Amino acid sequence: MNQQEKPSAAFSISWCLSYQGGAMLVAATISSYFSVFMTDTIGIPAAAASIMMFIATLWDAVNDPIMGTLADRTKSKWGRYRPYFLFFPPLFTVVAMLLFLNPDLPTVGKILYTEIFYIMWGMLYTILTMPWQSILPAHIKDDGQRNGLIQAGATCMAISFTIASSFTTQFVAILGSYVPLMLIYGVFCTVMYWILFKTSTEKYIMPVEKHSVGDDLKKLLKHKELLSVIVVWMMSSLGYGLMFGSSVYYIMYYYERPDLISSYMLSVSVGAIVSMMVLMGVMLRIFKGSVVKAFQVSQGITLVCYVILFFFGKTSMILLYALTFIATAFGAMEQAMINILVNDTIDYIMLKDKMTLSATISAIKGFAQKCGSTLSNSGILAVLAVTGYVAGAIGEQPESAMIGINFMRFGIPALTCVIIIVCLAFYPISKYYGQIAEFKTVS
């Protein structure tokens, strides 16, 4: 594919709306509301829920590299990555529905039921993620076209988060429960993945040599200069997860205004849309296409907002909403920028090792993100448990729980911004951009 040969509209739309549309609607609902669903609806104690989330998301992180290396070795009449688009989205939908059932079981039974289906959901989410990430560099060679789709996909993700985080309570009130909502999202996800299966190709891949999965990982991880990139992936996931996962607790218990949950989540989500649709492009133009510089500056602005909100967020509702919007508008673009770093890494390994490990690299990124998710999902519940949080006690939380909720919402995300800025100062691939471009023109 040369510079003028563009991907079809059907491929572009289905690539954006399969994972970052339908699957993300499910994931965003779970990210924003499942912890509260466990503690306040199912009745699982916060300490037990924290351990459950830690086990499930840690296993989810571990199975990412396994899934990535398996995808790189898949052989079928449909190709290496495309078969996963065909068979797994319907199963993903069914498990998401089962996850939001509240079975009439004793507490131990509810814990086991929830843990089993949360682990299953995480594994299926991984199965959909790795091949989806890998099909883009396999289908498109041009960096500009890839990055344009990444930005468009990130916009879709932000819209999905807006819908799921801001309007879920209204949707559940209309539909009666989370289960039919998961069905609607899952059907949309399945249709988009099937269209992606139909329209995608695998033109730009190199054969995987006949050696073990462990050898692939060793070959990839020998590039120790990529450690800073892996840390950025993990911190981005932690910060983004807390942005949504802690907001409900913050407004409900720290701010003591459950009636503002939808409007506050809307300010977060609209900020994310503005980030993807407008500010990311502006930042990249300002810094002449330098993702690293744009990433660092956007995180710096987010850091300043979080620090102010940590100390003064409760003093003024206008200040809270305004700085939350600004922080999200500059911070949320990290989700698109880390995908650009993934494609950089894929190209870097092709240059250095003359092999395609797209799914394996996507899996390492997934592993790092799931580690961040582990800290986010279980960390929220762990902090609640340690600080004495009382489920449903609006206006009656102990001071220790209030401090913990505020720290989760703004303190920890501020620290992730600092770590990302420092790690990007050591980004190793920038100096190889010229060599990579030359390699791609002759390969």
Side-chain angles (χ1 to χ4, degrees):
M1 184 176 291
N2 57 38
Q3 294 274 352
Q4 287 72 41
E5 187 181 352
K6 296 182 178 180
S8 69
F11 171 84
S12 300
I13 293 170
S14 60
W15 187 83
C16 291
L17 292 180
S18 50
Y19 169 66
Q20 294 179 303
M24 192 56 62
L25 285 166
V26 175
T29 303
I30 292 172
S31 175
S32 298
Y33 291 96
F34 191 65
S35 291
V36 177
F37 182 79
M38 281 197 296
T39 57
D40 293 16
T41 301
I42 299 179
I44 297 174
S50 173
I51 295 172
M52 291 167 59
M53 297 293 274
F54 179 81
I55 293 171
T57 51
L58 183 62
W59 165 245
D60 198 20
V62 170
N63 72 53
D64 271 33
I66 297 172
M67 181 60 218
T69 52
L70 287 175
D72 277 332
R73 285 169 168 75
T74 298
K75 295 180 180 179
S76 76
K77 64 180 181 180
W78 298 296
R80 186 181 294 182
Y81 308 120
R82 293 173 65 243
Y84 296 95
F85 306 153
L86 191 58
F87 301 110
F88 289 97
L91 185 57
F92 172 82
T93 302
V94 172
V95 171
M97 294 168 61
L98 293 173
L99 184 61
F100 275 102
L101 291 179
N102 184 10
D104 185 14
L105 297 170
T107 300
V108 173
K110 289 184 175 184
I111 289 173
L112 291 174
Y113 176 91
T114 303
E115 182 75 342
I116 289 169
F117 282 102
Y118 191 82
I119 289 174
M120 289 178 62
W121 177 81
M123 293 178 69
L124 288 164
Y125 187 68
T126 298
I127 289 172
L128 294 184
T129 304
M130 299 300 107
W132 170 85
Q133 179 79 59
S134 303
I135 199 66
L136 186 61
H139 187 79
I140 302 173
K141 179 182 285 190
D142 180 66
D143 285 335
Q145 293 173 7
R146 286 186 195 172
N147 294 345
L149 268 183
I150 288 172
Q151 185 174 357
T155 300
C156 293
M157 182 179 72
I159 293 172
S160 297
F161 259 95
T162 298
I163 294 170
S165 64
S166 303
F167 303 110
T168 291
T169 53
Q170 290 91 331
F171 292 157
V172 171
I174 293 170
L175 296 171
S177 76
Y178 286 91
V179 175
L181 185 61
M182 293 299 98
L183 176 61
I184 293 169
Y185 291 162
V187 169
F188 177 56
C189 168
T190 299
V191 171
M192 289 298 105
Y193 265 106
W194 284 351
I195 296 173
L196 182 61
F197 169 82
K198 182 69 174 178
T199 58
S200 58
T201 61
E202 299 179 2
K203 300 177 184 178
Y204 305 111
I205 58 174
M206 294 182 176
V208 176
E209 299 175 11
K210 294 182 178 180
H211 44 63
S212 69
V213 169
D215 289 338
D216 270 2
L217 291 174
K218 288 178 183 177
K219 183 166 286 191
L220 180 59
L221 295 176
K222 76 177 182 181
H223 296 282
K224 294 182 175 57
E225 66 273 18
L226 296 177
L227 178 61
S228 62
V229 184
I230 294 173
V231 174
V232 169
W233 291 337
M234 183 170 66
M235 290 297 103
S236 295
S237 176
L238 174 59
Y240 198 78
L242 288 174
M243 182 189 301
F244 286 91
S246 64
S247 289
V248 174
Y249 285 105
Y250 181 85
I251 292 297
M252 182 178 290
Y253 295 111
Y254 187 81
Y255 221 77
E256 301 175 4
R257 291 291 302 273
D259 57 302
L260 296 179
I261 290 175
S262 291
S263 64
Y264 184 71
M265 296 301 287
L266 186 62
S267 72
V268 174
S269 302
V270 171
I273 294 176
V274 172
S275 182
M276 306 301 184
M277 294 185 67
V278 180
L279 285 181
M280 181 177 170
V282 171
M283 295 291 285
L284 289 175
R285 282 194 294 272
I286 290 174
F287 293 102
K288 300 178 180 179
S290 174
V291 176
V292 173
K293 290 181 180 178
F295 205 161
Q296 287 180 305
V297 172
S298 64
Q299 289 293 298
I301 295 171
T302 304
L303 170 63
V304 172
C305 293
Y306 281 157
V307 171
I308 295 172
L309 288 171
F310 179 77
F311 291 103
F312 305 108
K314 201 173 182 181
T315 61
S316 166
M317 186 180 298
I318 294 175
L319 180 71
L320 174 65
Y321 274 68
L323 289 188
T324 294
F325 176 82
I326 294 170
T328 309
F330 282 95
M333 65 180 73
E334 65 188 352
Q335 294 303 298
M337 290 181 175
I338 59 174
N339 284 330
I340 295 176
L341 302 189
V342 170
N343 285 321
D344 278 357
T345 307
I346 290 170
D347 291 340
Y348 176 75
I349 295 301
M350 289 179 68
L351 172 70
K352 289 291 187 178
D353 296 332
K354 303 300 185 291
M355 60 190 304
T356 299
L357 292 177
S358 299
T360 303
I361 292 167
S362 297
I364 296 297
K365 176 247 191 179
F367 171 79
Q369 285 192 294
K370 297 294 173 59
C371 287
S373 296
T374 300
L375 294 174
S376 173
N377 295 338
S378 63
I380 290 173
L381 295 165
V383 169
L384 293 176
V386 169
T387 56
Y389 159 81
V390 181
I394 299 171
E396 300 176 2
Q397 295 293 336
E399 184 64 23
S400 56
M402 301 286 275
I403 293 171
I405 291 170
N406 188 38
F407 186 64
M408 287 189 301
R409 180 63 188 93
F410 297 119
I412 298 176
L415 293 175
T416 66
C417 291
V418 172
I419 295 171
I420 288 171
I421 292 168
V422 172
C423 286
L424 287 173
F426 300 96
Y427 187 63
I429 302 177
S430 298
K431 61 184 178 182
Y432 292 97
Y433 281 151
Q435 294 180 46
I436 290 172
E438 182 179 354
F439 173 76
K440 289 166 71 172
T441 59
V442 299
S443 62

